[in-house]
Amino acid sequence: MNLAPHKALPAGVVPIAALDLVSVTVEKLINRHAGLPGIGVLYGPPGRGKSMAAGAMVMAYRAYYIQVANAWRVKPMLQKILLEMGVAIPKKCRTEADLLDLVSSQLAASRRPLILDEADRLVAKEAMIETVRDIFEMSRAPILLVGSDDLRTELRNYPTTHSRVRSWVPAQPVTLADAAKLATVYAPGIQIAADLLEEIVDRVAGSVRYTCVNLERVLDEAMVMGEDVMDLARWGDRPIYNDETEGEA
């Protein structure tokens, strides 16, 4: 099956490079050749915009999205997935096997992707990650796992699931071009000079989240100062928030 051009991101979503990469990955999972693995893994440090990317994929591909809770075991996870799907659970479906059949049947029928965020919590419990593999095997639906770098390494402990991974996608650090696009949303109505954008990107160590926080702060300061242009000189010695700063961002 030939890969169709990937979908445009939904209106209002900033098309930074990381989102485009994830969109192409989801397309590959959806349009893969029959028999190929259909699980993708989006991994990386906190703040790289992984959940933002996952949310965009929900809108672009009508994906089912679940954020895995640390307290969950298999049955609550399956129940939550069915709730997200809008599937009523018949009274006769009481066992994990019954719920697994329902989840897999709905995925197979809908042909929609399943996104599991905070998937590090799955690999901490063998029964959880093995259930995800069962869902894939029974439905053959695309599944995207989203988590930290530990997700990539810990999956190696489960060879049967690891071998079903079609795409490994490292979350990309924010770039200067990304920051300029984000500024149109998080600092609308003001012009942020290249030197200040460069300083923000240099200081946030690749974090999309901190980039957005700092752009919003630049907007706030510009409004207080009555400026419609902010550069590094006007910013002065104000802090740029990152993992090394303390206090409210």
Side-chain angles (χ1 to χ4, degrees), residues 97-249:
D98 292 333
L99 298 172
L100 176 60
D101 285 343
L102 275 179
V103 168
S104 301
S105 296
Q106 175 63 21
L107 277 178
S110 69
R111 302 178 63 86
R112 290 162 63 177
L114 173 64
I115 298 176
L116 298 171
D117 202 354
E118 302 290 349
D120 310 73
R121 293 162 178 171
L122 298 173
V123 293
K125 302 161 189 172
E126 183 176 0
M128 297 280 278
I129 193 62
E130 291 297 336
T131 298
V132 171
R133 180 174 66 86
D134 288 339
I135 292 171
F136 169 69
E137 292 293 347
M138 295 170 68
S139 70
R140 307 304 295 178
I143 297 176
L144 181 65
L145 305 179
V146 182
S148 70
D149 288 318
D150 290 340
L151 173 61
R152 177 175 60 95
T153 55
E154 292 298 323
L155 267 175
R156 295 171 185 161
N157 296 324
Y158 306 97
T160 53
T161 303
H162 190 277
S163 67
R164 268 71 173 181
V165 176
R166 165 71 171 78
S167 300
W168 300 90
V169 187
Q172 299 299 300
V174 71
T175 65
L176 183 59
D178 291 337
K181 293 176 182 177
L182 290 166
T184 63
V185 172
Y186 291 91
I190 66 167
Q191 179 183 341
I192 303 180
D195 60 354
L196 181 52
L197 282 177
E198 288 175 1
E199 182 71 8
I200 291 172
V201 171
D202 287 345
R203 297 281 294 278
V204 299
S207 173
V208 175
R209 180 181 302 135
Y210 277 125
T211 299
C212 296
V213 166
N214 284 295
L215 289 172
E216 189 174 68
R217 292 183 61 244
V218 171
L219 173 63
D220 291 344
E221 291 295 330
M223 293 176 66
V224 169
M225 297 167 62
E227 299 280 1
D228 55 11
V229 176
M230 286 292 284
D231 56 17
L232 193 55
R234 289 182 176 89
W235 185 252
D237 59 359
R238 295 175 179 83
I240 291 175
Y241 283 110
N242 55 33
D243 282 335
E244 298 179 357
T245 57
E246 296 181 354
E248 184 178 353

Side-chain angles (χ1 to χ4, degrees), residues 2-69:
N2 293 327
L3 179 66
H6 67 275
K7 290 186 179 181
L9 293 172
V13 176
V14 183
I16 62 176
L19 295 191
D20 194 54
L21 177 61
V22 177
S23 179
V24 170
T25 298
V26 172
E27 283 284 353
K28 288 181 178 179
L29 295 177
I30 293 172
N31 296 299
R32 71 190 188 278
H33 289 276
L36 283 178
I39 297 177
V41 178
L42 172 61
Y43 63 92
R48 287 285 176 90
K50 300 185 297 297
S51 293
M52 179 191 298
M57 297 309 102
V58 170
M59 293 184 285
Y61 298 94
R62 298 179 62 238
Y64 299 117
Y65 173 86
I66 300 295
Q67 187 173 68
V68 180

